[in-house]
Amino acid sequence: MKAKKIPSRICVGCREPKEKRSMVRVVKTAENNVCLDETGKMNGRGAYICKNTECLLRALQSKGLERSLKTNIPEEVIHKLKEEMSAVEAR
Ligand SMILES: [Zn+2]
């Protein structure tokens, strides 16, 4: 039996492939805003992170997220992303 291909993405935090639905997309918009894109449909350059704060922190510490999005992420945006991630995680 052939296994069904499950859409997966590499997490920029832990660098492991995960199912898309267990991840959250971080997007850089045309206005250069960086935010969590829970719908996965926002326009802009995107990166995927597991739905947990640990992977978000790893992605930030390693600068992997900034590299993926090709932008610098200011402190206040990092703060906002952490809050958004803990809200997603709590669900
Ligand atoms: Zn991860």
Side-chain angles (χ1 to χ4, degrees):
M1 200 175 83
K2 226 174 160 184
K4 247 198 188 155
K5 190 122 169 67
I6 300 163
S8 67
R9 292 288 181 275
I10 307 277
C11 168
V12 288
C14 61
R15 300 267 162 205
E16 284 173 29
K18 295 279 165 68
E19 273 185 60
K20 253 176 97 173
R21 61 189 167 96
S22 68
M23 310 183 84
V24 62
R25 187 169 176 254
V26 184
V27 72
K28 182 180 76 170
T29 66
E31 295 79 37
N32 234 8
N33 284 322
V34 175
C35 57
L36 290 195
D37 169 22
E38 286 192 60
T39 65
K41 291 181 174 62
M42 282 172 72
N43 286 322
R45 176 176 278 276
Y48 286 85
I49 301 181
C50 303
K51 280 182 188 168
N52 65 62
T53 302
E54 200 189 318
C55 281
L56 175 66
L57 294 179
R58 283 171 74 170
L60 292 167
Q61 274 158 14
S62 67
K63 304 278 176 197
L65 186 59
E66 291 185 311
R67 270 200 301 274
S68 295
L69 299 178
K70 298 191 192 300
T71 189
N72 288 319
I73 305 177
E75 199 61 49
E76 68 265 23
V77 175
I78 289 175
H79 185 74
K80 186 192 68 159
L81 289 175
K82 285 179 190 168
E83 286 192 335
E84 287 174 348
M85 184 61 97
S86 45
V88 169
E89 204 178 10
R91 253 178 252 144

